[in-house]
Amino acid sequence: MSVISCKAAVAWAAGEPLVIEEVELSPPRPMEIRIKVFCTSLCRSDVTAWLSQAQPQIYPRIFGHEASGIVESVGEGVTEFEEGDHVLTLFTGECMRCRQCASGKSNICQVLGLERQGVMHSDKQTRFSIRGKPIYHYCAVSSFSEYTVVHSGCAVKISSVAPLEKICLLSCGVAAGLGAAWKVANISEGSTVVIFGLGTVGLSVAQGAKLRGASRIIGVDTNPEKSERGKDFGVTDFLNPKEYDQPIHQVINRITDGGADYAFECVGDTGMINTALQSCCSGWGLTVTLGVPKEKPEIAAHYGLFLTGRTLTGSLFGGWKPKSDLPSLVDMYLRKEIKIDDYITHNLMLEDINEAFDLMREGKCLRCVIQMPM
């Protein structure tokens, strides 16, 4: 194995347009694999991180984490993958040995959890470079590249018959929403659900709620175009806060006779978490927050909301253990038990990736799938 050259979309500074560059990529080191990326889709968290000015020191950088591909080569010690395997990348991994992985109670791996410093988990170095200058990673995946290197614990082998151009959405957004509905909230049949934010994650919560038999699924979004799209995924009522003179939680409490059984915050706005809590019923109302906040990460809520029996919980990747659980979701898709294709609103080539960023920022897409040059 040797260093290879490939094309990648490089962000040279926060918020600046990505540039298609010829980059050098190292071979996989021990317990790593090198993947030929087949498709990668743009997630809202990529855009949020790209716009953030919080870490100027980890640029230039290659974003992207929601991807499918084929194993090109394996590093020393890797036994679960071989060349030619079809895989999904994982922005949060699973070592299967740490306290968290062994507990059975968590999907927050202590060894391969969210990587925030732009380097690899194993040696805190980068695998990408341009003319000897290091190019930093994103979530230890960096899939906006023809090839990438990930830790073997940050990829999962999937069925070779699953369409790579569709199934990439399961490596983050769709799986996150379904898991929040099924594993985290464990939505019960006949219940009332309210979802704040009808992007891919919010609509995946809606799909999960519908499959669980929720009787009413209320979608809240300021984009009126989400009304019709929400119906495709199970949303029964659409509320646009701009159309009401009173706070939206008061509207929800009125139309649900005291609040929803479950509320999901899928916007990434910590102020909206309080609104979601206020939209839940007393006694047993559960609020699940999934969004990545763009600013103000602190949460403020009146203690009385909790004193009267409401619960607030977070959800990372829908509570799924990524390597253990994702193959079953792939199988569900192949059996047509869950929808994925309907979230894909655009297919673009790597050289058009800035258009994908514009579409996401303007709220004109759900998922843009980025096709790599063949």
Side-chain angles (χ1 to χ4, degrees):
M1 294 182 290
S2 60
V3 172
I4 61 173
S5 296
C6 63
K7 286 184 169 59
V10 178
W12 287 93
E16 292 188 4
L18 279 60
V19 180
I20 305 300
E21 303 275 13
E22 193 79 16
V23 301
E24 293 187 331
L25 178 62
S26 301
R29 297 184 185 175
M31 299 309 297
E32 295 177 351
I33 59 176
R34 190 159 62 188
I35 299 170
K36 177 175 175 56
V37 178
F38 190 86
C39 282
T40 180
S41 43
L42 179 61
C43 177
R44 171 74 58 182
S45 57
D46 290 300
V47 178
T48 298
W50 167 69
L51 289 172
S52 173
Q53 302 288 328
Q55 293 180 296
Q57 73 278 10
I58 56 174
Y59 282 86
R61 196 174 192 187
I62 297 173
F63 286 101
H65 64 281
E66 195 175 83
S68 59
I70 299 172
V71 176
E72 180 264 350
S73 55
V74 301
E76 180 184 347
V78 175
T79 58
E80 63 178 306
F81 297 104
E82 58 185 32
E83 293 179 19
D85 283 347
H86 288 208
V87 295
L88 292 177
T89 58
L90 304 172
F91 70 91
T92 180
E94 183 182 352
C95 75
M96 300 187 176
R97 295 184 303 275
C98 72
R99 179 188 177 193
Q100 294 278 341
C101 285
S103 71
K105 302 175 182 178
S106 169
N107 68 340
I108 311 295
C109 180
Q110 292 171 291
V111 179
L112 301 172
L114 281 174
E115 206 299 307
R116 303 177 185 274
Q117 303 305 314
V119 293
M120 296 295 287
H121 287 99
S122 55
D123 60 3
K124 309 305 178 186
Q125 301 295 314
T126 67
R127 301 292 179 265
F128 290 101
S129 63
I130 294 182
R131 296 177 294 277
K133 179 181 178 64
I135 307 296
Y136 291 94
H137 298 252
Y138 179 64
C139 290
V141 174
S142 294
S143 57
F144 294 162
S145 173
E146 292 180 288
Y147 289 83
T148 193
V149 169
V150 303
H151 192 284
S152 61
C154 293
V156 59
K157 183 178 177 179
I158 60 170
S159 169
S160 61
V161 302
L164 293 174
E165 71 276 11
K166 312 285 188 184
I167 212 71
C168 56
L169 271 65
L170 275 182
S171 71
C172 183
V174 174
L178 290 173
W182 294 344
K183 287 184 68 70
V184 179
N186 193 20
I187 288 174
S188 57
E189 186 174 358
S191 57
T192 300
V193 175
V194 59
I195 303 165
F196 294 87
L198 296 180
T200 297
V201 173
L203 291 174
S204 297
V205 172
Q207 180 181 182
K210 180 181 179 181
L211 290 171
R212 277 292 178 89
S215 63
R216 196 171 187 184
I217 303 171
I218 303 166
V220 181
D221 203 293
T222 55
N223 183 349
E225 294 179 8
K226 296 293 179 69
S227 175
E228 285 303 311
R229 186 170 293 279
K231 293 177 183 177
D232 297 336
F233 296 92
V235 173
T236 59
D237 304 70
F238 178 80
L239 302 178
N240 184 341
K242 294 180 178 179
E243 297 178 353
Y244 294 90
D245 294 331
Q246 61 184 147
I248 199 65
H249 74 269
Q250 293 181 9
V251 176
I252 294 166
N253 275 270
R254 173 170 51 82
I255 66 174
T256 59
D257 189 26
D261 299 296
Y262 307 94
F264 295 84
E265 187 284 312
C266 306
V267 178
D269 180 345
T270 49
M272 194 62 68
I273 294 175
N274 194 41
T275 299
L277 276 166
Q278 292 173 302
S279 302
C280 273
C281 65
S282 60
W284 63 81
L286 172 63
T287 293
V288 181
T289 179
L290 297 84
V292 178
K294 304 169 186 64
E295 55 186 1
K296 297 181 181 178
E298 297 82 12
I299 298 169
H302 195 283
Y303 84 101
L305 292 170
F306 305 106
L307 193 64
T308 51
R310 295 171 180 84
T311 301
L312 171 65
T313 189
S315 174
L316 178 69
F317 196 51
W320 302 115
K321 284 182 171 291
K323 291 176 74 71
S324 301
D325 294 335
L326 266 191
S328 64
L329 288 180
V330 174
D331 292 341
M332 289 183 72
Y333 168 72
L334 292 174
R335 294 193 300 266
K336 303 187 185 314
E337 295 172 4
I338 58 174
K339 297 196 292 188
I340 294 178
D341 303 26
D342 295 355
Y343 296 96
I344 301 171
T345 54
H346 298 77
N347 285 279
L348 299 171
M349 298 303 294
L350 180 63
E351 59 262 30
D352 300 318
I353 194 166
N354 286 305
E355 181 182 344
F357 272 71
D358 290 342
L359 288 166
M360 180 70 80
R361 292 175 70 186
E362 295 165 6
K364 295 179 178 179
C365 72
L366 286 178
R367 276 296 187 265
C368 290
V369 173
I370 310 299
Q371 311 278 342
M372 292 298 160
M374 291 295 106

